[in-house]
Amino acid sequence: MKTKNTYQKLFSPQSIAIVGASNKKGKIGTIIAENISKLGYKGKTYLINPAYKFLGFKRCYPSLSAVKKEIDVAIICVPAKFVLGVVKEGMQNVKNFVIISAGFSEIGAEGAKREQELIALAKKNNLNILGPNCLGFINPIVNLNASFAAGMPKAGNVAFVSQSGALIVGLLDKAKEEHMGFSNVISIGNQMQVDEADILEYLAEDKETKVIGMYLEGIKDGSRFLKVAKKVSQKKPIVILKAGKTEQAQKAISSHTGALAGSDEIVDVAFKSAGIIRADNLDDFFALLGLISFTDAPKNGQMAVITNAGGAGVLATDAFKNKEIALMEFSQKAKENFAKQLPSESSVHNPIDLLGDAGADRYQNILEMLKKENPGSTICILTPQQQTPVEEIAKIITSVKEKNKMSLAAVFIGGERIKNGVLHLKQNNIPNFSNPESCVRALDQYYRWSIFANEKTDEQKYAANADCKKIVSNIIKNAREQKRGALSFSEAANVMLEYGIDSGSFWIVSADGEKPEIKEFPVVAKIDSDKVLHKSDKQGVILNIKNSGELEEALKALGQNFPGEKVLVQPMQQKQVEIILGIKKDDIFGPVIVYGLGGIYTEIFHMADFLLPPMSEAEIKKQVLSGKIRFLFQGARGQKAYDAEEFSKIIKGIMDFALENSDIDGFDINPLFIYNDGRKASAVDIKIII
Ligand code: COA
């Protein structure tokens, strides 16, 4: 079983072996051996290579078992075909391995077989294997560079985990310039056994780590990853730069909702549900890690901005649009005090304009006075005018932050003239942004994370309803046995009823069979066949049938167009609002519920949102009331509000249906009519593709 302790031994070992250690210039075995022995690691080191008795002055062993002592971790850098043998031979005295070697699942079937053999071995013998096909790891806290990246990064509080080894090297180089310090740098390679969720769990407990930054291309087990990430996010922030779109094998023809949900949007929703901060690009990623590494999360959502450049202040003001954080309103007293310290042309409203000729004193006085106003964070903007003492201002900002323990970020805008000032900020743990927009965006994301962490939401456990599951699976089984691709309307309506979703009254007839006794007109007649999924496109729907004569005509016409097919007759309901609701199957995260404005505007307005089951009804309602079609449930423009509670219950029903019937191929209700006059919502058309 994996324990905190075993990962501790893997990433912070007391002893380490390098299998394939060498002295030949430029070889990976040489570089790793040198990195471990020459950069200050104090633990015991063993070199393993049968070709040598000594490497330099250090003894070299022919194999891991020849060391005859327990070794915390072995770094393997021999060709892939020898790796299994090395692990087998060494596992008596080594339990943790890092496989640098390439030549595994990334090269195809032969490599995948090697991985399978290793996984089986690891499982049977309780081993932890990082990689293969990875760069190794670096633990700057103990001066251990067990990778073939050059040098030792500064020690600090950022843990960086990457699926790309090469990106680590680039990032570490940039980090030097940014004065960013690391607690761990881990290359996870193919994640054959130790995966990103395991690493998250380990880093959550690592006391040196304040923020976890991850570069991910794919996610191994989406639901486990989210479960772990959600727990970890409540302890410390996770910032993820996710590359690549999850490719969907979604059959867009079978459901409209499938086409509404882009896979990248699903990643957004999934990350949000787990409190993960998503970075849009490498610059953003760095900015977020720097901000979180250097400063505390905003204590509240009310921000103060001071600037010596009016224009930059305007840009900052604009940047608060659609954010959770806002520009705070200063108290009257504070504004009077600011005015006493500033020239009369200054603005004492937020952003406070110190004017272009501001010296360090104006920054200092205002920053000191701001303390009483208790802003969540303060943004200090500067542009370098001829008379601006950039470095002096940087020093003032640093000392006020230290003294008053403020959450603070700087936006020094410029190049050569601000270089030394920015250097001073970075050396003193003040995050600096090159523009107000990215500063406000990053603070907003940091603040949203802190809200998530404080909310401590319960884990949603889903309990399947066995009776309902049985009824529904019998209906689906029966249809499959008849080799049908979809359920009929009456079957689908019965399935939905099991989940509390009503479809109103209806009759199923055949064109040449008995006519139903219908007392109330108008009605609608539609073809009900798994072969005709898009009925309206194929003249399979006849609306507004006013009497039994017209009904007879309609049935005749449908019978001619679709011989032998059944016809569904429903009351013609007066529509108020049409909703579209469906399930999109995501390769990584499983079923995702999609809902939005239906009808002819579905594809045009893209007023759709996505929810990841399981969720409680209360959580669903909260999302519905803050989603894209919230206006319906808030009563827009004098309209009575639609029933958010009823709608959330329907979504909950579909979530349960999705979780209990994960083998269906597609699902949507299009349209669902909802009303604000007391009538019950009704699923007018339901497609369940099996
Ligand atoms: N135990 C210990 N040492 C062994 C051994 C064993 N069972 N079998 C071979 N060796 C030694 C060799 O004698 C050799 O020593 P030498 O360099 O002094 O001659 C050393 O291990 C390395 O073996 P070699 O066959 O020379 O391989 P290599 O150094 O050319 O390549 C890898 C080995 C692992 C670097 C290479 O196979 C590889 O996978 N490269 C890609 C790595 C990569 O990109 N990873 C992903 C990064 S993100």
Side-chain angles (χ1 to χ4, degrees):
M1 210 191 65
K2 288 169 186 172
T3 66
K4 192 182 139 195
N5 222 9
T6 48
Y7 285 130
Q8 184 76 24
K9 279 191 173 173
L10 201 168
F11 295 118
S12 192
Q14 305 278 324
S15 54
I16 188 163
I18 305 107
V19 184
S22 177
N23 55 11
K24 292 183 185 150
K25 203 166 180 297
K27 293 196 78 170
I28 287 186
T30 309
I31 297 169
I32 295 184
E34 283 185 355
N35 277 346
I36 293 174
S37 59
K38 292 189 178 162
L39 295 172
Y41 175 60
K42 296 275 187 302
K44 201 97 182 86
T45 310
Y46 301 97
L47 306 178
I48 317 288
N49 191 330
Y52 309 98
K53 289 244 174 317
F54 282 89
L55 277 170
F57 293 112
K58 203 162 165 54
R59 183 173 167 192
C60 191
Y61 296 82
S63 64
L64 283 167
S65 66
V67 175
K68 295 198 167 49
K69 278 189 195 131
E70 214 175 277
I71 306 168
D72 284 349
V73 62
I75 315 293
I76 304 183
C77 22
V78 298
K81 60 181 179 210
F82 301 130
V83 171
L84 185 71
V86 168
V87 176
K88 258 188 194 161
E89 194 274 339
M91 68 191 185
Q92 292 313 319
N93 52 331
V94 190
K95 294 288 174 215
N96 300 299
F97 296 87
V98 176
I99 303 176
I100 305 289
S101 325
F104 289 85
S105 59
E106 81 285 357
I107 62 156
E110 192 192 343
K113 188 167 162 266
R114 283 192 190 124
E115 274 194 21
Q116 288 312 318
E117 288 168 340
L118 274 170
I119 290 172
L121 191 71
K123 210 168 169 188
K124 197 161 163 222
N125 297 284
N126 229 354
L127 312 175
N128 296 305
I129 302 181
L130 182 70
N133 189 29
C134 74
L135 187 86
F137 71 90
I138 308 174
N139 180 343
I141 308 290
V142 297
N143 287 323
L144 171 62
N145 180 350
S147 81
F148 59 96
M152 180 61 68
K154 188 177 138 188
N157 57 17
V158 179
F160 177 46
V161 182
S162 178
Q163 273 173 7
S164 155
L167 195 71
I168 290 185
V169 180
L171 210 103
L172 290 182
D173 202 34
K174 185 164 163 61
K176 218 181 274 170
E177 225 173 66
E178 298 293 323
H179 290 262
M180 190 181 284
F182 294 89
S183 56
N184 295 269
V185 177
I186 301 172
S187 161
I188 48 181
N190 292 3
Q191 307 180 70
M192 176 194 79
Q193 190 218 8
V194 176
D195 65 17
E196 67 282 298
D198 295 323
I199 306 274
L200 274 183
E201 272 174 340
Y202 166 71
L203 293 172
E205 300 298 324
D206 178 35
K207 59 181 192 325
E208 304 290 347
T209 299
K210 182 184 180 198
V211 52
I212 304 166
M214 287 187 138
Y215 169 77
L216 297 181
E217 281 161 10
I219 294 168
K220 214 169 136 190
D221 173 349
S223 64
R224 175 162 171 260
F225 176 74
L226 288 183
K227 221 161 124 186
V228 171
K230 195 167 184 174
K231 263 202 192 133
V232 176
S233 288
Q234 294 192 332
K235 271 191 158 173
K236 46 185 87 168
I238 307 170
V239 180
I240 297 186
L241 177 61
K242 164 91 178 63
K245 316 262 183 236
T246 55
E247 253 330 303
Q248 298 301 304
Q250 185 78 26
K251 297 161 198 104
I253 35 128
S254 64
S255 91
H256 274 290
T257 40
L260 278 178
S263 47
D264 211 44
E265 281 169 297
I266 291 174
V267 172
D268 268 345
V269 172
F271 281 10
K272 195 173 154 214
S273 77
I276 295 168
I277 302 173
R278 185 172 187 186
D280 283 344
N281 51 49
L282 262 173
D283 283 343
D284 244 25
F285 186 60
F286 244 99
L288 281 160
L289 290 180
L291 174 74
I292 302 172
S293 168
F294 288 160
T295 196
D296 290 338
K299 290 176 286 190
N300 58 60
Q302 301 298 305
M303 306 290 133
V305 178
I306 62 172
T307 177
N308 71 347
V314 178
L315 287 175
T317 306
D318 286 348
F320 281 95
K321 201 173 158 204
N322 296 330
K323 299 287 189 294
E324 196 72 33
I325 56 172
L327 279 170
M328 73 187 296
E329 189 64 48
F330 297 129
S331 66
Q332 192 52 39
K333 182 93 191 115
K335 282 190 267 193
E336 284 164 19
N337 288 338
F338 297 155
K340 283 184 203 152
Q341 297 294 333
L342 296 171
S344 57
E345 299 82 4
S346 306
S347 165
V348 294
H349 298 279
N350 205 2
I352 304 171
D353 188 353
L354 309 176
L355 300 182
D357 61 349
D361 55 333
R362 285 189 208 158
Y363 276 90
Q364 179 165 25
N365 292 338
I366 300 300
L367 277 174
E368 290 283 7
M369 281 193 267
L370 269 176
K371 194 183 166 205
K372 271 206 184 132
E373 293 294 284
N374 193 31
S377 276
T378 302
I379 301 173
C380 301
I381 302 176
L382 172 147
T383 59
Q385 278 67 252
Q386 181 65 31
Q387 67 272 59
T388 308
V390 179
E391 275 182 76
E392 208 185 318
I393 293 171
K395 282 178 188 156
I396 288 298
I397 291 174
T398 310
S399 70
V400 177
K401 183 198 173 206
E402 283 292 301
K403 190 173 133 216
N404 296 335
K405 305 274 170 268
M406 297 168 82
S407 166
L408 190 147
V411 182
F412 280 22
I413 303 170
E416 192 55 38
R417 294 174 63 88
I418 60 162
K419 213 170 77 190
N420 291 338
V422 169
L423 182 67
H424 180 86
L425 292 174
K426 287 176 182 168
Q427 283 171 337
N428 289 280
N429 294 355
I430 309 265
N432 183 62
F433 293 81
S434 55
N435 63 76
E437 293 86 349
S438 38
C439 178
V440 171
R441 193 169 61 236
L443 278 170
D444 186 58
Q445 287 174 288
Y446 199 6
Y447 178 61
R448 283 173 198 249
W449 165 79
S450 72
I451 295 176
F452 180 92
N454 289 327
E455 268 177 358
K456 301 263 178 251
T457 47
D458 297 334
E459 189 187 325
Q460 283 301 318
K461 288 211 178 63
Y462 172 69
N465 178 336
D467 290 345
C468 161
K469 193 171 160 50
K470 201 167 155 203
I471 295 170
V472 172
S473 59
N474 276 339
I475 295 175
I476 294 175
K477 193 170 143 234
N478 180 44
R480 281 192 182 130
E481 278 167 6
Q482 292 174 19
K483 306 251 177 295
R484 282 192 275 134
L487 297 189
S488 69
F489 182 83
S490 61
E491 288 167 330
N494 283 338
V495 168
M496 284 298 99
L497 265 187
E498 290 297 321
Y499 294 96
I501 298 163
D502 194 13
S503 313
S505 51
F506 62 88
W507 301 265
I508 303 291
V509 295
S510 53
D512 45 4
E514 223 174 275
K515 305 294 161 293
E517 272 289 312
I518 293 174
K519 294 203 176 66
E520 274 186 51
F521 284 92
V523 293
V524 179
K526 309 173 188 174
I527 217 72
D528 183 19
S529 162
D530 62 328
K531 296 179 202 86
V532 192
L533 287 176
H534 298 300
K535 301 184 255 290
S536 316
D537 302 351
K538 301 203 169 103
Q539 275 99 43
V541 181
I542 298 176
L543 300 172
N544 208 14
I545 300 166
K546 293 192 210 66
N547 50 51
S548 39
E550 281 187 23
L551 177 60
E552 197 142 329
E553 286 297 307
L555 293 178
K556 212 154 96 194
L558 289 171
Q560 274 164 7
N561 284 344
F562 304 94
E565 299 291 358
K566 292 261 188 270
V567 177
L568 162 72
V569 180
Q570 289 173 306
M572 169 111 181
Q573 300 190 36
Q574 255 188 337
K575 67 178 157 197
Q576 273 193 325
V577 167
E578 286 183 55
I579 298 288
I580 181 167
L581 260 167
I583 301 170
K584 167 134 180 148
K585 272 193 183 175
D586 186 79
D587 289 346
I588 297 174
F589 300 110
V592 181
I593 309 303
V594 186
Y595 73 91
L597 208 54
I600 51 172
Y601 300 119
T602 307
E603 273 94 6
I604 300 173
F605 291 132
H606 257 261
M607 281 251 183
D609 280 304
F610 315 104
L611 299 172
L612 216 67
M615 282 168 81
S616 68
E617 236 174 85
E619 250 186 286
I620 296 170
K621 190 173 163 196
K622 204 168 130 196
Q623 295 298 325
V624 165
L625 289 175
S626 60
K628 291 205 185 97
I629 59 167
R630 62 182 180 278
F631 60 90
L632 288 174
F633 306 99
Q634 291 166 340
R637 302 195 172 214
Q639 260 193 22
K640 211 171 148 220
Y642 290 78
D643 188 344
E645 208 126 307
E646 179 193 44
F647 187 61
S648 307
K649 273 200 173 74
I650 290 174
I651 294 186
K652 175 82 171 87
I654 291 172
M655 279 192 180
D656 292 352
F657 169 71
L659 293 171
E660 279 174 17
N661 302 280
S662 53
D663 59 339
I664 60 152
D665 272 355
F667 168 90
D668 66 31
I669 297 180
N670 184 17
L672 171 88
F673 283 170
I674 57 167
Y675 301 96
N676 62 358
D677 57 7
R679 275 180 288 169
K680 272 181 77 177
S682 167
V684 178
D685 211 335
I686 310 161
K687 253 181 245 152
I688 301 182
I689 322 273
I690 46 173

